[in-house]
Amino acid sequence: MLSNSSKYAVKALVHLVNHSSEDNKLLVKHLARATEVPQPYLSKILQQLTAKNYLSSIKGRNGGYFITEAQGENSVLDIIVEIEGKDILQLCILNFDHCDSKKPCLIHHLVASQKDALRKSFKTIKLKDLGKEKLIE
């Protein structure tokens, strides 16, 4: 359901939440190695997220990527929508253009509640909640 770009973005953000700070920035090569994401691909994703202020970066010596406290308030859904360019969890699972509750496709009603629940979960989960101690609870 999620594209590789969205999966890679969330993987990288989980790693950043757990291993970076304004005092401990991470280089893209370290993130790529830790998340097993190709570095050029990850670099483009991180640049996109930085441009929209979902992530911070500093260039030069002692530079790298990190997430501020304010950025930690963004939801996983915010990231997915940014990467995908649209809210894919509101689209038809069969990719029909005109599928909705008024004109449903053949399986719309079979999956609508699960899609809505997943969307709500992604909206509820904040980046700051992806920290190790939060994941264990």
Side-chain angles (χ1 to χ4, degrees):
M1 179 175 264
L2 296 178
S3 70
N4 281 339
S5 295
S6 289
K7 292 175 193 175
Y8 293 163
V10 173
K11 270 179 93 168
L13 292 170
V14 168
H15 193 79
L16 283 165
V17 166
N18 284 291
H19 300 287
S20 75
S21 67
E22 290 187 50
D23 297 326
N24 183 37
K25 299 160 198 72
L26 297 180
L27 298 174
V28 68
K29 69 181 179 179
H30 295 130
L31 274 167
R33 193 175 320 122
T35 58
E36 299 178 348
V37 176
Q39 184 175 332
Y41 195 3
L42 183 59
S43 183
K44 288 180 184 181
I45 292 169
L46 297 177
Q47 288 171 8
Q48 179 180 350
L49 294 174
T50 301
K52 295 295 184 169
N53 198 33
Y54 289 107
L55 180 62
S56 294
S57 73
I58 294 182
K59 294 182 181 189
R61 196 166 201 263
N62 300 318
Y65 290 94
F66 63 99
I67 297 174
T68 66
E69 194 172 318
Q71 292 164 336
E73 295 297 326
N74 290 306
S75 73
V76 171
L77 182 63
D78 295 334
I79 301 304
I80 293 168
V81 170
E82 176 57 38
I83 295 296
E84 299 292 337
K86 57 191 167 208
D87 189 343
I88 60 170
L89 294 170
Q90 291 186 328
L91 300 177
C92 175
I93 199 160
L94 297 178
N95 290 325
F96 290 121
D97 290 333
H98 304 290
C99 172
D100 59 27
S101 59
K102 294 176 186 169
K103 290 180 114 183
C105 71
L106 295 173
I107 66 167
H108 178 88
H109 294 298
L110 299 173
V111 298
S113 63
Q114 289 89 352
K115 278 180 35 183
D116 288 343
L118 182 59
R119 186 178 187 285
K120 286 177 186 169
S121 292
F122 282 158
K123 184 66 179 170
T124 303
I125 301 168
K126 304 295 181 196
L127 295 181
K128 68 180 183 180
D129 298 332
L130 300 175
K132 285 181 197 173
E133 59 280 352
K134 298 286 185 179
L135 293 174
I136 295 171
E137 292 177 357

Coordinates of all heavy atoms in Angstrom, one line a residue, residues 4-46:
N4 N 7.8 2.6 -1.7 CA 9.1 2.4 -1.1 C 9.6 3.8 -0.5 O 10.2 3.8 0.6 CB 10.1 1.9 -2.1 CG 10.0 0.4 -2.2 OD1 9.4 -0.3 -1.4 ND2 10.5 -0.1 -3.4
S5 N 9.2 4.8 -1.2 CA 9.7 6.2 -0.7 C 9.1 6.5 0.6 O 9.8 6.9 1.5 CB 9.3 7.3 -1.7 OG 9.9 7.1 -2.9
S6 N 7.8 6.2 0.8 CA 7.2 6.4 2.1 C 7.8 5.5 3.2 O 8.0 5.9 4.3 CB 5.7 6.2 2.1 OG 5.1 7.2 1.3
K7 N 8.0 4.2 2.9 CA 8.6 3.3 3.8 C 10.0 3.8 4.2 O 10.3 3.7 5.4 CB 8.6 1.9 3.2 CG 7.3 1.3 3.0 CD 7.4 -0.1 2.3 CE 6.1 -0.6 1.8 NZ 6.3 -1.8 1.0
Y8 N 10.8 4.2 3.2 CA 12.1 4.6 3.5 C 12.1 5.9 4.4 O 13.0 6.0 5.3 CB 12.9 4.9 2.2 CG 13.2 3.7 1.4 CD1 13.5 3.8 0.0 CD2 13.1 2.4 1.9 CE1 13.8 2.7 -0.7 CE2 13.4 1.2 1.1 CZ 13.8 1.4 -0.2 OH 14.1 0.3 -1.0
A9 N 11.2 6.8 4.1 CA 11.1 8.0 4.8 C 10.8 7.7 6.3 O 11.5 8.2 7.2 CB 10.0 8.9 4.3
V10 N 9.8 6.9 6.5 CA 9.5 6.5 7.9 C 10.6 5.8 8.6 O 11.0 6.1 9.8 CB 8.2 5.7 8.0 CG1 7.9 5.2 9.4 CG2 7.0 6.6 7.5
K11 N 11.3 4.9 7.9 CA 12.4 4.2 8.5 C 13.5 5.2 8.9 O 14.1 5.1 10.0 CB 13.1 3.2 7.5 CG 12.5 1.8 7.5 CD 13.2 1.0 6.4 CE 14.3 0.2 7.0 NZ 14.8 -0.8 6.0
A12 N 13.8 6.1 8.1 CA 14.9 7.1 8.4 C 14.5 8.0 9.5 O 15.3 8.3 10.4 CB 15.1 7.9 7.1
L13 N 13.2 8.4 9.6 CA 12.7 9.2 10.7 C 12.7 8.5 12.0 O 13.1 9.1 13.0 CB 11.3 9.8 10.3 CG 11.3 10.8 9.2 CD1 9.9 11.1 8.8 CD2 12.1 12.0 9.5
V14 N 12.4 7.2 12.0 CA 12.5 6.4 13.2 C 13.9 6.4 13.7 O 14.2 6.7 14.9 CB 12.0 5.0 13.0 CG1 12.4 4.1 14.2 CG2 10.5 4.9 12.8
H15 N 14.9 6.2 12.8 CA 16.3 6.2 13.2 C 16.7 7.6 13.7 O 17.4 7.7 14.7 CB 17.2 5.8 12.0 CG 18.5 5.5 12.4 ND1 18.9 4.3 13.0 CD2 19.7 6.2 12.4 CE1 20.2 4.3 13.3 NE2 20.7 5.4 12.9
L16 N 16.3 8.6 13.0 CA 16.6 10.0 13.5 C 16.0 10.3 14.8 O 16.7 10.9 15.7 CB 16.2 11.0 12.5 CG 17.0 11.1 11.2 CD1 16.3 11.9 10.1 CD2 18.4 11.8 11.5
V17 N 14.8 10.0 15.1 CA 14.2 10.2 16.4 C 15.0 9.5 17.5 O 15.2 10.1 18.6 CB 12.7 9.7 16.4 CG1 12.2 9.7 17.8 CG2 11.9 10.7 15.6
N18 N 15.5 8.3 17.2 CA 16.2 7.6 18.2 C 17.7 7.9 18.3 O 18.3 7.5 19.4 CB 16.0 6.1 17.9 CG 14.6 5.6 18.3 OD1 14.3 5.6 19.5 ND2 13.8 5.3 17.3
H19 N 18.3 8.5 17.3 CA 19.7 8.6 17.4 C 20.3 10.0 17.0 O 21.5 10.2 16.9 CB 20.4 7.6 16.4 CG 20.0 6.2 16.7 ND1 20.6 5.5 17.8 CD2 19.2 5.3 16.1 CE1 20.1 4.3 17.8 NE2 19.2 4.1 16.8
S20 N 19.4 11.0 16.9 CA 19.9 12.3 16.5 C 19.3 13.4 17.5 O 18.3 13.1 18.2 CB 19.6 12.7 15.1 OG 18.2 13.0 14.9
S21 N 20.0 14.5 17.4 CA 19.5 15.7 18.2 C 20.2 16.9 17.6 O 21.0 16.7 16.7 CB 19.8 15.6 19.7 OG 21.2 15.6 19.8
E22 N 19.9 18.0 18.0 CA 20.5 19.2 17.5 C 22.0 19.2 17.8 O 22.8 19.8 17.1 CB 19.9 20.5 18.1 CG 18.5 20.7 17.6 CD 18.0 22.1 18.0 OE1 18.6 23.1 17.8 OE2 16.8 22.1 18.5
D23 N 22.4 18.4 18.9 CA 23.8 18.3 19.2 C 24.5 17.1 18.5 O 25.7 16.9 18.6 CB 24.0 18.2 20.7 CG 23.6 19.4 21.4 OD1 23.7 20.5 20.9 OD2 23.0 19.3 22.5
N24 N 23.7 16.2 18.0 CA 24.2 14.9 17.4 C 23.4 14.7 16.1 O 22.5 13.9 16.0 CB 23.9 13.7 18.4 CG 24.5 12.5 17.8 OD1 25.5 12.4 17.2 ND2 23.7 11.4 18.0
K25 N 23.9 15.4 15.1 CA 23.3 15.3 13.7 C 23.9 14.0 13.0 O 25.0 13.6 13.3 CB 23.6 16.5 12.9 CG 23.0 17.8 13.6 CD 23.7 19.0 13.1 CE 23.5 20.2 14.0 NZ 24.3 20.1 15.2
L26 N 23.1 13.5 12.1 CA 23.5 12.3 11.4 C 23.7 12.6 9.9 O 22.8 13.2 9.3 CB 22.4 11.2 11.6 CG 22.2 10.7 13.0 CD1 21.2 9.5 13.0 CD2 23.5 10.1 13.6
L27 N 24.7 12.0 9.4 CA 25.0 12.2 7.9 C 24.1 11.2 7.2 O 23.8 10.1 7.7 CB 26.5 11.9 7.6 CG 27.5 12.9 8.3 CD1 28.9 12.4 8.0 CD2 27.3 14.3 7.8
V28 N 23.8 11.6 5.9 CA 23.0 10.7 5.1 C 23.6 9.3 4.9 O 22.9 8.3 4.8 CB 22.6 11.4 3.8 CG1 23.8 11.6 2.9 CG2 21.5 10.6 3.1
K29 N 25.0 9.3 4.8 CA 25.6 8.0 4.6 C 25.4 7.1 5.8 O 25.3 5.9 5.7 CB 27.1 8.2 4.2 CG 28.0 8.7 5.3 CD 29.4 8.8 4.8 CE 30.3 9.3 5.9 NZ 31.7 9.4 5.4
H30 N 25.4 7.7 7.0 CA 25.2 6.8 8.2 C 23.7 6.4 8.3 O 23.4 5.3 8.7 CB 25.5 7.6 9.5 CG 27.0 7.9 9.5 ND1 27.5 9.2 9.8 CD2 28.1 7.1 9.4 CE1 28.8 9.1 9.8 NE2 29.2 7.9 9.5
L31 N 22.8 7.3 7.9 CA 21.4 6.9 7.9 C 21.1 5.8 6.8 O 20.4 4.9 7.1 CB 20.5 8.1 7.5 CG 20.1 9.0 8.7 CD1 19.6 10.4 8.2 CD2 19.1 8.4 9.5
A32 N 21.7 6.0 5.7 CA 21.6 5.0 4.6 C 22.0 3.6 5.1 O 21.4 2.6 4.9 CB 22.3 5.4 3.3
R33 N 23.2 3.6 5.7 CA 23.7 2.3 6.2 C 22.9 1.7 7.3 O 22.5 0.5 7.3 CB 25.2 2.5 6.7 CG 25.9 1.3 7.0 CD 27.4 1.5 7.4 NE 28.1 2.5 6.7 CZ 28.6 3.6 7.3 NH1 28.6 3.7 8.6 NH2 29.2 4.5 6.6
A34 N 22.4 2.5 8.2 CA 21.6 2.1 9.3 C 20.2 1.6 8.9 O 19.7 0.7 9.5 CB 21.5 3.2 10.4
T35 N 19.7 2.2 7.9 CA 18.3 1.8 7.5 C 18.3 0.9 6.2 O 17.2 0.5 5.8 CB 17.5 3.1 7.1 OG1 18.2 3.8 6.1 CG2 17.3 4.0 8.3
E36 N 19.5 0.6 5.7 CA 19.6 -0.2 4.5 C 18.8 0.4 3.3 O 18.1 -0.4 2.6 CB 19.2 -1.6 4.8 CG 20.1 -2.3 5.9 CD 19.7 -3.7 6.2 OE1 18.6 -4.2 5.8 OE2 20.5 -4.4 6.9
V37 N 18.9 1.7 3.2 CA 18.2 2.4 2.1 C 19.3 2.9 1.2 O 20.3 3.5 1.7 CB 17.3 3.5 2.6 CG1 16.8 4.3 1.4 CG2 16.2 3.0 3.5
P38 N 19.2 2.8 -0.2 CA 20.3 3.3 -1.0 C 20.5 4.8 -0.8 O 19.5 5.6 -0.7 CB 19.7 3.1 -2.4 CG 18.7 2.0 -2.3 CD 18.2 2.1 -0.9
Q39 N 21.7 5.2 -0.6 CA 22.0 6.6 -0.2 C 21.5 7.7 -1.2 O 20.9 8.6 -0.7 CB 23.6 6.8 0.0 CG 23.9 8.1 0.5 CD 25.4 8.3 0.8 OE1 26.1 7.3 1.1 NE2 25.9 9.5 0.7
P40 N 21.6 7.5 -2.5 CA 21.1 8.6 -3.4 C 19.6 8.7 -3.2 O 19.1 9.8 -3.2 CB 21.5 8.1 -4.8 CG 22.6 7.2 -4.6 CD 22.4 6.5 -3.2
Y41 N 18.9 7.6 -3.1 CA 17.4 7.6 -3.0 C 17.1 8.3 -1.6 O 16.2 9.2 -1.6 CB 16.9 6.2 -3.0 CG 15.5 6.0 -3.2 CD1 14.6 7.0 -3.4 CD2 14.9 4.7 -3.3 CE1 13.2 6.8 -3.6 CE2 13.6 4.5 -3.5 CZ 12.7 5.5 -3.7 OH 11.4 5.3 -3.9
L42 N 17.7 7.9 -0.6 CA 17.4 8.5 0.8 C 17.8 10.0 0.8 O 17.0 10.7 1.4 CB 18.2 7.7 1.8 CG 18.0 8.2 3.3 CD1 16.5 8.0 3.6 CD2 18.9 7.4 4.2
S43 N 18.8 10.3 0.1 CA 19.2 11.8 0.1 C 18.1 12.6 -0.5 O 17.8 13.7 0.0 CB 20.5 11.9 -0.7 OG 20.9 13.2 -0.7
K44 N 17.5 12.1 -1.6 CA 16.4 12.9 -2.2 C 15.2 13.0 -1.3 O 14.5 14.0 -1.2 CB 16.0 12.2 -3.5 CG 17.0 12.4 -4.6 CD 16.5 11.8 -5.9 CE 17.6 11.9 -6.9 NZ 17.2 11.3 -8.2
I45 N 14.9 11.9 -0.6 CA 13.7 11.9 0.3 C 14.0 12.9 1.5 O 13.1 13.7 1.8 CB 13.5 10.5 0.9 CG1 13.0 9.5 -0.2 CG2 12.5 10.5 2.1 CD1 13.0 8.1 0.2
L46 N 15.2 12.9 2.0 CA 15.5 13.8 3.2 C 15.5 15.2 2.7 O 15.1 16.1 3.5 CB 16.9 13.4 3.7 CG 17.0 12.0 4.4 CD1 18.4 11.7 4.9 CD2 16.0 11.8 5.5

